[in-house]
Amino acid sequence: MRPRAYLDHNASTPLDPAVRDAMAKAEAMTWGNPSSPHLEGRLAREILEEARGRVAATLGCRPREVLFTSGGTEAVNLALVGAARARAASGKRVVVTAIEHSCVTDAADALGREGYEVVRVAPTPDGRVEAGAVDAACAPGTSVAAVMLANHETGAILPVRAVAEAVRARGVAVLCDAALGPGQVEVRVEALGVDLLALSAHKWNGPKGIGALYVRRRTKLEPLLRGGPQEERIRGGTENVVGAVGLATALERAVASAEARRTRYRALTERLLGGLLAAIPDARLLGPAEPRLPSTVLLELPGCEGEAVLVNLDLEGISTSTGSACAVGGTSASPVLLAMGLSTKRASSTIRFSVGEGTTDADVDRVLSALPAIVGRLRALAR
């Protein structure tokens, strides 16, 4: 059977064999609860804290500023909702960009139902967000501002540091969803200037079910999960020791190889984009040409339904996406693209390619061979 071409790394990535080996070693060493005082528990605690220290060293922060969670969604919810509730006495206003992942926007909507004022900052037509627009939205009473590091659909890289510098004097806590950053964009917290930073291991060849949240010292959070003193008494529940080892290993490997990854990903996507624009009439890139994740290409294909393109590519052995995987099953167009000013029809005529570790020139060749013919067939049927 011919191997499939997987070009949906923004949704999830294959587990790095080195990460799998590190997790297997940790699992073989202990099964104890890291909160237990006996030998097995102490060994589990030692492994957990070593992993925490490795994450902290990679992010450039203190180990006590790193909390382990069940994934990026929990990390974001704890950061946004937890910080807003902890700061409610000084103001009940939160600011988010209109192109955030649904884990941010849905959490903000939940705060809105609690009586918070939620302000969404619109992007420019090419999917960027201007720091000045976020700054202007942070009126008195704003407690938290959420600005993602890179958009999951367009690949647009946002000016996180500029936002943090602009709002710092007003005491606004800045949350950064950095799920797609490691291996492609700087994630050291002092370079970004943020107070809260969320990570999700499965986005960069780590395991699913484990995330991390950086919480700058003295940044108060109201716990969402209660039931124990774990994770600085902010996130109750027995820690996922093996997952923490997997996250730490994947994060270190992604950051250490970032320059090589960026170079290789850029070469793949430039060849993919150039070939498709040359072969498919009226196809166009959505989102900024720069700054953009080197891994990501979002194409608009007028006259085609993105879902139909996806299905046809899947039949050709090519895995891709129409946008965020979290939107699968929904009937509405991408909120990110609608916020950029696209009509529902245009937003539904898109396909996203995202390369990663394991993507080859042969994978790109398969797309260049298959997609123009698929688009031609679909356009002919639509006439």
Side-chain angles (χ1 to χ4, degrees), residues 1-7 310-311 313-320 358 360 363 366:
M1 181 187 236
R2 187 181 184 188
R4 290 181 62 86
Y6 184 76
L7 289 98
L310 184 150
V311 168
L313 285 171
D314 190 36
L315 292 172
E316 294 284 344
I318 300 166
S319 300
T320 184
T360 65
D363 295 332
R366 287 180 70 176

Side-chain angles (χ1 to χ4, degrees), residues 33 39 46 53 61 70 79 94 117 131 144 158 171 186 194 202-203 212 221 277 281-282 291 305 309 314-315 322 349:
N33 187 318
L39 176 62
E46 180 180 332
C61 65
S70 64
V94 296
E117 179 186 6
V144 188
L158 276 59
E186 172 69 75
V194 297
H202 78 101
K203 298 293 188 178
L221 296 181
L277 293 180
D282 300 323
E305 286 290 333
V309 176
D314 190 36
L315 292 172
T322 56
S349 299

Side-chain angles (χ1 to χ4, degrees), residues 192-209:
L192 293 172
V194 297
D195 304 285
L196 300 153
L197 183 136
L199 295 170
S200 184
H202 78 101
K203 298 293 188 178
W204 13 274
N205 307 104
K208 295 177 179 64

Side-chain angles (χ1 to χ4, degrees), residues 53-74:
R54 290 163 61 194
V55 173
T58 306
L59 296 180
C61 65
R62 302 172 180 84
R64 291 189 65 179
E65 294 175 310
V66 174
L67 307 180
F68 288 114
T69 68
S70 64
T73 293
E74 186 195 340

Side-chain angles (χ1 to χ4, degrees), residues 287-298:
E290 291 293 341
R292 176 169 56 90
L293 288 175
S295 65
T296 305
V297 170
L298 180 66

Side-chain angles (χ1 to χ4, degrees), residues 209-232:
I210 185 72
L213 177 65
Y214 159 74
V215 183
R216 186 183 291 276
R217 188 172 58 170
R218 299 191 183 91
T219 301
K220 302 297 184 183
L221 296 181
E222 181 73 19
L224 301 187
L225 298 180
R226 302 179 185 275
Q230 296 89 352
E231 301 302 294
E232 302 292 325

